[in-house]
Amino acid sequence: MVDRFDELLKSAGKSLGIPLHTDKHHACAIQVRHGIVVQLQSDVSQEKLLIASKVAEITPGKFRENVLREALKANGMADPRVGVFAYLSATNHLVLFQYYPFDLLTGERLANMLGPFTEAVEAWHNAIVAGRPAPPTVHPPGPHPFGLRP
């Protein structure tokens, strides 16, 4: 039986120019930058791929409330979104994750998806480390009444 996840990792690794393979937990962790790791994992049925990363640890207090509020706002934005934010209370981490159906994935598509996902993780990580509850919002260009911006 062909393991869809292993085949996808090999193909994505070729596109990225790095060897990708599963570990003993049948997952693949890619260290992007110091402190930022993107994990790839198949669901049990091998129908969906999970892409996930811890963004940053956020300690209890007003700042955490502000970060979580901003993350909820980001979760409410229209698609396409690179992921959904969640909070792991056991470790006080903000997490970004997304599921993709294997039927829609190729190695090249996965490699192309990892860039925007990683950029989002890094932007939020850098903002939180710098004491900001979210990265600066990018507003799409377009007409605004009286030149006002949202």
Side-chain angles (χ1 to χ4, degrees):
M1 180 175 153
V2 175
D3 186 323
R4 294 173 87 177
F5 183 47
D6 283 329
E7 291 298 317
L8 182 63
L9 286 178
K10 286 178 187 171
S11 179
K14 287 179 184 173
S15 292
L16 293 169
I18 57 173
L20 298 177
H21 53 84
T22 58
D23 61 16
K24 65 181 179 180
H25 302 290
H26 202 64
C28 178
I30 305 168
Q31 182 159 354
V32 180
R33 303 264 188 280
H34 180 70
I36 298 178
V37 176
V38 174
Q39 181 155 329
L40 308 173
Q41 190 170 336
S42 174
D43 67 350
V44 176
S45 65
Q46 288 204 3
E47 292 180 13
K48 293 182 182 174
L49 173 72
L50 169 66
I51 301 175
S53 180
K54 289 181 180 177
V55 175
E57 183 176 356
I58 43 177
T59 56
K62 186 67 175 170
F63 181 68
R64 178 168 72 186
E65 291 174 26
N66 293 337
V67 170
L68 295 179
R69 182 179 307 107
E70 294 300 317
L72 285 173
K73 287 179 189 177
N75 283 349
M77 294 183 75
D79 283 332
R81 292 178 297 178
V82 296
V84 177
F85 287 101
Y87 176 69
L88 293 176
S89 59
T91 62
N92 292 325
H93 276 90
L94 181 66
V95 176
L96 184 65
F97 74 95
Q98 187 66 280
Y99 281 99
Y100 293 100
F102 272 108
D103 292 341
L104 300 178
L105 293 174
T106 64
E108 187 174 342
R109 273 196 187 137
L110 175 58
N112 289 334
M113 285 186 216
L114 288 175
F117 184 88
T118 301
E119 288 170 9
V121 171
E122 286 182 304
W124 279 80
H125 174 84
N126 292 340
I128 292 168
V129 168
R132 295 185 312 270
T137 304
V138 177
H139 297 289
H144 295 285
F146 311 109
L148 299 175
R149 294 264 180 202

